Amino acid sequence: MELNYLLSVSKNKVVLVFLLIITLTINAQTSKTSIQNDTKLIVNSDFETGNLDGWKHWKTKNSVITNEAYSGKYAIKIGPERGFCIQETKVRPNSLYRISAFVKTQSGAEEVQLVVSDFGGPAKSVSSALTEYSKVSVDFQTAFSTDKLLISLIHPSGNGSGYADQIELIYLGEAPAPKIQEFVKIPERVLKEEGGVRQLPNNKMDWFLDDKFGMFIHWGVYAAMDEGAEWIRHQEAWGFEYYQRRARNPKTGFTASKFDANEWASLAKKAGMKYMALTTRHHDGYALFDSKHPFSWTSQKDLGRDFVREYTAAVRAAGLRVGMYYSPMSWRYPGYYDVTGKDVKPNVWGYKTAAWHKEDARDMKEEVYEQVTTILKDYGKIDYMFWDGGWLGQTINPELERAFWDPGKYQNPDNEWPINEKYITKDDATGKPLGIMGLVRKFQPDLVVNERFSWIGDVHAEEGGSATSGDIRFEHYGEKCVSLQKGGWGYRPNRDVYSFEDVAVFLSNCVVRNINLLLNVAPDREGVIPENQQKVLRQTGDWLSKVGQGIYGTRGGPWQPLFGEYGFTFKENKIYCHVYQGYRNLNTRTFTPQSLGNKKVSKVVNLYDGNELKWVKNNDKTITISGVDYSLNPATTILEITLTESVYK
């Protein structure tokens, strides 16, 4: 019996060893065929060219080559303060990747980040604050419909710098097939509070979530500067006197001679937009309204016109909701870069630290309080406010921003930058001076605001022409702003624009994720929106007149979107399937959404032409819709599934 036992054990060991050998052989073969080093896709991944070749993306700034390398001769140094080193590269679609880098910081009191984005999923990042080089890595999955990747090395803030070297990109194999989804569980929105002010409740946010589509308008004296758009003064490091002289030139300057707010509002309405947002003041400090602060520079003083008053009247007359944009930062004040008078931030004008900058910054803040109070009090009901530029010195320092601006309900009585009594509004109940959000809730209690003025915001602002990706935004509602004109938000002559098909995809990609689209137009110095921009807006309006049911009044869901292929919206007993050109089964003229569970379908319609489509139920509780004509609107096809009961019951 003992011998038989030993023989049995020996046989089992042989079998186990044999199986282990087979397993290791299979794994080795799999590794050999799937895991590959794709670093070659990155240009100058080790910076050994000794320059920024490959990293000359337009967002790259405050980055230089250094010989403080991990290996080889060179690395990248990012900073001091906020800096970026960015490269857009090609990758394989529908693939699993790992990217890594060796990074370190100068002081250990800050961090350097490795970020990947624009690959069809939500941006991913990893960071380190160590002062010795260490390896960081992050895994990600590219979408079936994309072959792009944006690699960002970022030093977010701080007086020191970040360093990076030896970027490596490893292909881990093909991405798995998408799994069939059940209905997502919609979490209850938890209202957050900051600075003594709570976010608006759902019932006051509903209009924003229903309207979906708004017109952004960047317009100011920069429209007269053919060299560039709204950042031209900063880009060229122009002094204020020169910039003002250019703006006031009666022949070539900002005349607004053909401005008609009613035409703007009419165009927005034809485009299917439900609200508008005008730049009442941008970073150059020029106000399109009647500011009474002695240091203000305004259209009322220059041209005798209050454009904000004309604008608000026209928007309301058109039945649209009134939105505004306001930038608290102003390049007119050297103190903006040196609010303490002890630590000037990097700037294009070459300002050096000076004690008087602290008072200059206080003047800037005081002007902001006067102007924000004026806007909130004197222009009737405002529905939406797009803050922009609450950071100081164009660097991110939330603690200093809150200390400086007093963005919450009340001003701090010990604030180092006190506001003159003349420009203070006090709380009726407590007699305390109101801060920025205190002013908002006093004069415009239902005003929806974003988070770009040192307060958490009711909505989160996303920016730029990169495709919207990721899951549905349930807990913090979003808005994406995109400029219809390619290259800049303010007017630039003879610029190309995004096509109607591009705009349709932008809007659809947003709404399936509970995000609004704020699409920017750029009127010229006379106040005319260029015809190529108007044409795209009219085409968009024509499309929305056919498919608007799948856009307005909906919410993202009941399933998560798949980047570049499809997404969903719903309301009551309707599910709207948004299908894009990247859908992997487009050539079959069919569409199979996700699991309907026990829900029953009564009919399916192509919204664009109203034709009813055939469908069959599958064993996995999905349905397959057939006969879909994807050529009607190649950019975005919207199919309406009608259920016999509410989507969520």
Side-chain angles (χ1 to χ4, degrees):
M1 187 173 174
E2 185 175 339
L3 179 60
N4 289 336
Y5 173 75
L6 290 173
L7 288 171
S8 173
V9 170
S10 298
K11 287 179 182 178
N12 287 340
K13 284 184 177 179
V14 170
V15 171
L16 286 171
V17 170
F18 180 71
L19 290 173
L20 181 60
I21 291 171
I22 292 175
T23 302
L24 290 173
T25 302
I26 292 172
N27 287 343
Q29 290 174 345
T30 303
S31 298
K32 200 176 284 185
T33 56
S34 63
I35 299 178
Q36 298 179 31
N37 192 317
D38 272 3
T39 303
K40 62 183 180 295
L41 298 173
I42 304 173
V43 178
N44 195 15
S45 63
D46 55 8
F47 306 101
E48 288 304 299
T49 63
N51 55 39
L52 285 172
D53 284 353
W55 300 92
K56 294 178 181 178
H57 187 275
W58 69 272
K59 287 185 178 179
T60 294
K61 68 175 184 178
N62 209 17
S63 295
V64 295
I65 297 296
T66 177
N67 58 11
E68 198 170 331
Y70 169 75
S71 66
K73 290 184 177 181
Y74 303 110
I76 192 74
K77 176 183 177 184
I78 315 163
E81 302 300 344
R82 189 165 175 80
F84 304 83
C85 184
I86 295 178
Q87 178 173 159
E88 184 177 71
T89 187
K90 294 284 187 180
V91 287
R92 310 183 199 200
N94 198 45
S95 299
L96 301 172
Y97 274 101
R98 175 172 297 140
I99 192 168
S100 63
F102 285 89
V103 299
K104 71 171 186 174
T105 63
Q106 186 173 343
S107 68
E110 48 213 320
E111 66 177 6
V112 60
Q113 302 169 345
L114 169 64
V115 182
V116 286
S117 58
D118 287 10
F119 55 84
K124 291 192 170 186
S125 67
V126 64
S127 64
S128 174
L130 298 177
T131 55
E132 298 291 332
Y133 272 113
S134 61
K135 190 175 184 178
V136 296
S137 64
V138 62
D139 292 357
F140 62 97
Q141 176 180 322
T142 61
F144 182 88
S145 59
T146 188
D147 60 357
K148 292 192 306 181
L149 175 67
L150 196 68
I151 305 167
S152 304
L153 299 162
I154 303 174
H155 181 254
S157 61
N159 293 327
S161 298
Y163 299 81
D165 200 2
Q166 298 297 318
I167 319 301
E168 186 177 57
L169 184 65
I170 301 297
Y171 169 76
L172 301 175
E174 187 175 342
K179 294 181 179 179
I180 295 176
Q181 301 177 44
E182 304 295 331
F183 281 10
V184 296
K185 294 182 179 179
I186 301 177
E188 183 179 350
R189 178 171 171 247
V190 178
L191 299 183
K192 297 178 181 178
E193 181 175 318
E194 187 176 73
V197 182
R198 286 172 67 82
Q199 293 174 317
L200 290 178
N202 287 350
N203 66 325
K204 293 189 176 182
M205 292 294 298
D206 280 344
W207 75 263
F208 185 82
L209 296 173
D210 288 343
D211 284 1
K212 303 298 184 190
F213 193 25
M215 176 184 277
F216 210 3
I217 308 163
H218 273 69
W219 191 54
V221 296
Y222 43 81
M225 318 293 177
D226 288 350
E227 296 92 336
E230 73 291 343
W231 277 72
I232 184 61
R233 189 190 165 201
H234 183 274
Q235 291 165 352
E236 300 295 330
W238 287 341
F240 175 62
E241 290 184 3
Y242 173 77
Y243 186 67
Q244 189 177 63
R245 187 165 64 252
R246 287 276 301 266
R248 287 174 168 171
N249 187 303
K251 293 183 178 180
T252 61
F254 182 71
T255 65
S257 57
K258 298 179 181 178
F259 168 66
D260 186 341
N262 292 299
E263 290 183 1
W264 289 4
S266 175
L267 179 62
K269 196 166 185 176
K270 289 176 183 175
M273 293 159 160
K274 302 296 185 181
Y275 64 104
M276 300 173 71
L278 171 66
T279 51
T280 63
R281 185 181 98 156
H282 207 267
H283 308 328
D284 60 1
Y286 182 81
L288 297 178
F289 56 95
D290 187 14
S291 169
K292 298 297 194 298
H293 193 273
F295 297 157
S296 64
W297 179 30
T298 73
S299 62
Q300 186 70 48
K301 292 176 181 177
D302 278 7
L303 300 172
R305 295 178 70 177
D306 185 331
F307 295 120
V308 171
R309 193 166 301 284
E310 295 177 41
Y311 158 81
T312 54
V315 174
R316 292 189 187 102
L320 304 177
R321 292 188 183 267
V322 175
M324 298 187 187
Y325 164 112
Y326 183 84
S327 169
M329 65 177 276
S330 175
W331 297 319
R332 294 178 58 207
Y333 294 87
Y336 167 69
Y337 292 95
D338 191 19
V339 296
T340 63
K342 298 175 182 178
D343 180 26
V344 72
K345 301 303 180 187
N347 62 88
V348 299
W349 287 281
Y351 300 136
K352 305 298 182 184
T353 292
W356 65 268
H357 285 167
K358 185 173 183 180
E359 176 61 19
D360 189 62
R362 193 202 66 79
D363 288 337
M364 176 184 71
K365 176 183 175 181
E366 188 172 88
E367 182 186 26
V368 166
Y369 266 78
E370 186 277 328
Q371 292 187 346
V372 167
T373 304
T374 295
I375 289 172
L376 297 175
K377 283 179 61 179
D378 295 353
Y379 293 90
K381 188 178 187 304
I382 307 169
D383 301 288
Y384 175 65
M385 177 64 79
F386 190 114
W387 305 122
D388 189 27
W391 56 86
L392 298 166
Q394 289 168 214
T395 62
I396 295 177
N397 186 336
E399 186 176 344
L400 179 61
E401 291 163 19
R402 286 191 289 269
F404 179 82
W405 290 117
D406 278 329
K409 184 171 184 179
Y410 300 119
Q411 294 180 38
N412 177 2
D414 299 321
N415 191 285
E416 293 184 52
W417 303 268
I419 299 299
N420 189 299
E421 189 76 22
K422 181 179 179 181
Y423 304 110
I424 285 176
T425 302
K426 294 184 178 180
D427 180 44
D428 294 335
T430 65
K432 295 180 180 179
L434 292 172
I436 295 298
M437 284 306 299
L439 292 169
V440 168
R441 293 294 189 249
K442 176 180 175 64
F443 296 117
Q444 301 284 343
D446 297 337
L447 182 66
V448 176
V449 306
N450 71 7
E451 83 284 19
R452 294 189 177 187
F453 202 168
S454 308
W455 185 73
I456 51 175
D458 301 303
V459 297
H460 170 65
E462 302 182 20
E463 184 175 323
S466 60
T468 306
S469 61
D471 289 346
I472 303 166
R473 277 57 156 182
F474 284 123
E475 295 182 11
H476 202 169
Y477 300 133
E479 179 185 57
K480 183 178 180 69
C481 53
V482 177
S483 184
L484 182 53
Q485 168 191 272
K486 294 182 178 180
W489 298 85
Y491 174 77
R492 300 185 73 177
N494 306 313
R495 301 296 291 193
D496 290 336
V497 298
Y498 285 109
S499 68
F500 146 67
E501 289 80 9
D502 292 329
V503 172
V505 173
F506 279 137
L507 179 57
S508 176
N509 256 316
C510 285
V511 299
V512 300
R513 294 173 172 86
N514 272 348
I515 303 172
N516 284 18
L517 176 64
L518 188 62
L519 186 65
N520 180 71
V521 297
D524 64 19
R525 66 185 186 87
E526 295 181 311
V528 177
I529 298 172
E531 178 55 34
N532 61 348
Q533 296 180 37
Q534 293 194 41
K535 180 180 177 181
V536 172
L537 293 182
R538 289 192 292 268
Q539 290 175 314
T540 304
D542 289 342
W543 174 67
L544 284 169
S545 69
K546 298 179 177 69
V547 304
Q549 290 169 260
I551 304 285
Y552 305 119
T554 64
R555 300 293 183 268
W559 305 292
Q560 295 288 0
L562 184 61
F563 178 84
E565 297 195 61
Y566 51 74
F568 307 93
T569 56
F570 74 94
K571 60 183 172 186
E572 298 171 352
N573 67 328
K574 310 279 189 181
I575 298 174
Y576 299 95
C577 310
H578 298 236
V579 191
Y580 312 119
Q581 286 181 304
Y583 177 47
R584 64 190 71 191
N585 296 320
L586 199 73
N587 60 352
T588 66
R589 299 191 68 193
T590 65
F591 182 70
T592 302
Q594 309 299 316
S595 171
L596 286 161
N598 296 321
K599 302 288 183 182
K600 295 180 180 179
V601 176
S602 63
K603 67 176 179 178
V604 179
V605 170
N606 188 330
L607 280 187
Y608 193 83
D609 60 7
N611 283 342
E612 190 167 345
L613 301 173
K614 295 180 179 179
W615 57 275
V616 295
K617 189 173 183 179
N618 303 315
N619 292 333
D620 57 8
K621 297 184 179 180
T622 65
I623 63 170
T624 295
I625 304 164
S626 59
V628 182
D629 187 352
Y630 288 114
S631 68
L632 293 175
N633 177 33
T636 307
T637 296
I638 303 182
L639 310 177
E640 179 188 71
I641 300 174
T642 301
L643 304 178
T644 57
E645 60 180 318
S646 295
V647 176
Y648 287 97
K649 187 177 180 181

